[in-house]
Amino acid sequence: MFAWSTAALVALSHHAQAQELGGPIDLEQLRGLPGLVIEDGAQGSNTTIIRKGGVEIRQTFSNGQTQTFGVDNSGQGAILCTWQILITMRAVIDACYAKDYVELLRDLDEDIGKINTFISQNNLTPITKPEVDRQEATRSKTLGDEWSRAPSESCSNKPMLSMIKGLADLGRTERMKRLDEFLGTPRPPVTNPCL
């Protein structure tokens, strides 16, 4: 969605948790859905591959455990990665620069709300919009608390400030256009690739 600098993203790495929303994917419930391809493990493999909208998800069954890992190859970007970055940016602006970035803060609220809707509509494990909103609110509160504890130290985070300035400099019209493009391909929300 946006071009992030490596240095700025490294500063966020402890906030961008590599987790998908929901539990194990119910493959039987998904079979036959339009645009979804499911490849069951060949020759005794315990891995099933699910593809949709440029996203590939591998679900492996081993020792009574299910592990799920998804990669977004759509060219649009990983939904959950961007979602986590925008939630983090909003927390930083709120704690450090709220007076300077009023419009951007308002836009981030709207953008995150649109991504929440996208997640609820495209997640392979059913999740409602209110459930996504609750998870987002929990992440937001945790991040806000972290950034508020030591604002003078945290707010001097130069890579984060340069990301915020870069996003603000795009202007509302360009940000909205990029978000629409980002959300234009229905696909399962995954975190990777992120950093």
Side-chain angles (χ1 to χ4, degrees), residues 162-177:
S162 71
M163 282 177 63
I164 291 167
K165 285 180 180 179
L167 195 56
D169 289 347
L170 284 176
R172 181 174 170 73
T173 302
E174 183 64 20
R175 284 192 306 270
M176 296 301 115
K177 177 183 163 210

Side-chain angles (χ1 to χ4, degrees), residues 1 72-78 82 178 180-185 187:
M1 178 176 160
D72 191 316
N73 298 309
S74 70
Q76 300 296 322
T82 299
R178 289 185 184 196
D180 289 343
E181 290 170 1
F182 176 64
L183 299 177
T185 302
R187 61 199 185 278

Side-chain angles (χ1 to χ4, degrees), residues 46-167:
N46 293 334
T47 300
T48 299
I49 300 170
I50 306 161
R51 291 186 178 92
K52 182 177 182 181
V55 171
E56 181 176 291
I57 297 173
R58 292 177 178 263
Q59 185 164 274
T60 302
F61 307 95
S62 179
N63 299 325
Q65 300 286 324
T66 302
Q67 294 181 337
T68 305
F69 183 78
V71 177
D72 191 316
N73 298 309
S74 70
Q76 300 296 322
I79 295 290
L80 295 180
C81 175
T82 299
W83 182 65
Q84 292 169 349
I85 290 169
L86 294 180
I87 291 169
T88 301
M89 288 180 78
R90 184 181 61 192
V92 173
I93 293 170
D94 223 11
C96 304
Y97 313 108
K99 293 177 188 171
D100 300 325
Y101 295 102
V102 174
E103 179 182 294
L104 181 58
L105 197 54
R106 184 184 64 242
D107 289 351
L108 286 173
D109 285 339
E110 186 178 322
D111 294 352
I112 292 166
K114 287 180 180 180
I115 295 172
N116 288 357
T117 298
F118 183 96
I119 291 167
S120 70
Q121 293 172 345
N122 292 281
N123 205 53
L124 294 182
T125 301
I127 188 167
T128 65
K129 170 89 166 40
E131 288 171 324
V132 177
D133 290 341
R134 276 192 297 279
Q135 288 192 28
E136 178 248 312
T138 299
R139 288 174 189 263
S140 293
K141 180 174 180 356
T142 300
L143 290 167
D145 290 349
E146 286 179 22
W147 281 89
S148 296
R149 269 189 224 117
S152 60
E153 292 172 25
S154 300
C155 293
S156 64
N157 183 324
K158 299 297 184 206
M160 180 59 73
L161 181 56
S162 71
M163 282 177 63
I164 291 167
K165 285 180 180 179
L167 195 56

